């Protein structure tokens, strides 16, 4: 069997199993399993016959994806703003649209020297790693309530040259519930959070990749999905410098709710509803008065 034949068979099999982007995922699985540098190498090796050993390597990988295990878990990592982020069941796989939070932070912090950035609910630490790498002089504190997530976050930080043990480390971690984990005496210059925002009633209704493999702790945010977001906003009083932005990723139907509730936080100013690169409402921002 040639590379092209196994690609076509895998694509058809994935389609029968309901795998989104069946051909693309087949390309990634096969190129990874065959040790290719990129999936584009498949096109240079269409006629290459596969050995029995190579087929034996591919079969369990294909079976895992057909069972709807996330592609990033099978391959072991994903790219977030060009940084390689290890992925497994300890935290959510970072989504491409979430990269916009880093751009929003960079724009909001222009002119601020050595900003103190806090990311709450860091998961894989993808956002914090990008901020520490891309924002000059930034000191980033990443928090999570999950010890499993923090262990993965620390692995990712070290792999990206941001060891927490290094002298003057630009990225550090703390375990705790939302801002309860922040003990720094300095006030925050930018607060970022991609908290669980899926309503509890959606349990069992999400894609299998999410329902079966993502930790529930990172998904569900109460009856309307906003319980943790509201709790975080209540905790911000007196903890941010004047003008400091709060950048939140939320569900597409939740932005107007948060805008209408802005009066509940008189020390904050609701400053915007923002869309991702696909045009979907995905983020809201506040500013400390």
């Amino acid at each position: 069997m040639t590379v092209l034949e196994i690609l076509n068979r895998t694509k058809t099999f994935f389609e029968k199993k309901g795998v989104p982007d069946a051909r693309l995922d087949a390309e990634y699985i096969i190129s990874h399993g065959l040790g290719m540098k990129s999936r584009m190498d498949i096109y240079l090796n269409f006629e290459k016959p596969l050995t029995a050993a190579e087929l034996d390597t591919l079969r369990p990988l294909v079976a895992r994806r057909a069972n709807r295990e996330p592609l990033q878990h099978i391959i072991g990592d994903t790219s977030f703003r060009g940084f390689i982020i290890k992925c497994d069941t300890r935290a959510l796989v970072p989504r491409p649209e979430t990269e916009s939070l880093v751009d929003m932070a960079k724009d909001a912090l222009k002119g601020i020297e050595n900003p103190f950035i806090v990311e709450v609910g860091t998961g894989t630490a993808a956002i914090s790693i990008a901020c520490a790498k891309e924002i000059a002089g930034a000191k980033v504190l990443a928090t999570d309530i999950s010890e499993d997530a923090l262990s993965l976050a620390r692995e990712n930080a070290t792999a990206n040259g941001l060891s927490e043990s290094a002298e003057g480390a630009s990225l550090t971690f703390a375990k705790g519930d939302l801002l309860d984990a922040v003990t720094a005496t300095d006030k925050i210059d930018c607060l970022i959070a991609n908290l669980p925002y899926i309503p509890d009633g959606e349990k069992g209704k999400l894609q299998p990749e999410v329902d079966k493999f993502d930790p529930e702790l990172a998904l569900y945010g109460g009856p309307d999905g906003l319980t943790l977001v509201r709790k975080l906003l209540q905790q911000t009083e007196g903890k941010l410098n004047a003008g400091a932005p709060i950048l939140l990723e939320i569900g597409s139907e939740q932005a107007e709710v948060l805008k209408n509730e802005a009066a509940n936080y008189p020390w904050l100013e609701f400053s915007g509803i923002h869309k991702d690169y696909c045009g979907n409402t995905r983020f809201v921002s506040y500013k400390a008065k």
Side-chain angles (χ1 to χ4, degrees), residues 49 56 102 142 156 192 195 197 225 245 261 266 269:
D56 286 343
V102 181
N156 278 322
I192 305 173
L195 294 171
Y197 57 73
E261 294 179 358
E269 175 188 341

Side-chain angles (χ1 to χ4, degrees), residues 154-169:
R154 288 187 170 101
E155 290 172 24
N156 278 322
T158 299
N160 282 279
L162 293 168
S163 175
E164 191 178 19
S165 62
E167 185 177 351

Side-chain angles (χ1 to χ4, degrees), residues 5 19 27 36-37 51 64 70 89 94 96 150 164 185 234 254 265 277:
E5 287 171 332
V19 174
E27 292 174 352
M36 296 177 175
K37 291 183 179 179
T51 67
R64 288 170 65 185
T89 56
L150 284 172
E164 191 178 19
T185 55
Q234 285 289 353
Q254 296 169 332
Y265 319 103
Y277 60 87

Side-chain angles (χ1 to χ4, degrees), residues 10 24 26 32 63 87 91 98 104-105 126 133 149 162 175 180 186 193 218 220 225 232 247 257-258 264 270 272:
T10 302
L24 183 63
H32 172 72
C87 299
T98 301
M104 292 168 66
K133 287 283 193 176
L162 293 168
K175 181 182 179 183
D180 290 344
D186 291 339
Y220 301 105
L232 175 64
L247 311 174
V257 174
L258 290 172
N264 294 336
F270 188 88

Side-chain angles (χ1 to χ4, degrees), residues 198-215:
I198 300 172
D200 290 348
E202 295 298 307
K203 290 181 181 180
K205 301 177 183 178
L206 306 176
Q207 283 191 328
E209 287 85 349
V210 177
D211 266 336
K212 293 169 65 175
F213 296 97
D214 280 334

Side-chain angles (χ1 to χ4, degrees), residues 144-283:
D144 208 292
I145 199 170
S146 166
E147 189 61 59
D148 284 342
L150 284 172
S151 67
L152 177 60
R154 288 187 170 101
E155 290 172 24
N156 278 322
T158 299
N160 282 279
L162 293 168
S163 175
E164 191 178 19
S165 62
E167 185 177 351
S170 58
L171 174 56
T172 55
F173 297 92
K175 181 182 179 183
D177 186 14
L178 304 176
L179 286 181
D180 290 344
V182 181
T183 58
T185 55
D186 291 339
K187 288 191 175 182
I188 299 167
D189 291 307
C190 180
L191 176 61
I192 305 173
N194 181 9
L195 294 171
Y197 57 73
I198 300 172
D200 290 348
E202 295 298 307
K203 290 181 181 180
K205 301 177 183 178
L206 306 176
Q207 283 191 328
E209 287 85 349
V210 177
D211 266 336
K212 293 169 65 175
F213 296 97
D214 280 334
E216 278 198 14
L217 185 65
L219 293 173
Y220 301 105
D224 68 350
L226 292 172
T227 298
L228 291 174
V229 173
R230 294 186 180 102
K231 184 177 179 181
L232 175 64
L233 291 171
Q234 285 289 353
Q235 290 182 350
T236 60
E237 186 173 10
K239 295 187 177 180
L240 286 82
N241 280 316
I246 300 173
L247 311 174
L248 306 174
E249 181 165 344
I250 42 85
S252 58
E253 305 300 321
Q254 296 169 332
E256 289 296 333
V257 174
L258 290 172
K259 181 180 180 181
N260 292 336
E261 294 179 358
N264 294 336
Y265 319 103
W267 58 91
L268 301 176
E269 175 188 341
F270 188 88
S271 54
I273 296 173
H274 312 272
K275 296 183 179 181
D276 62 21
Y277 60 87
C278 293
N280 300 312
T281 300
R282 183 66 63 179
F283 313 101

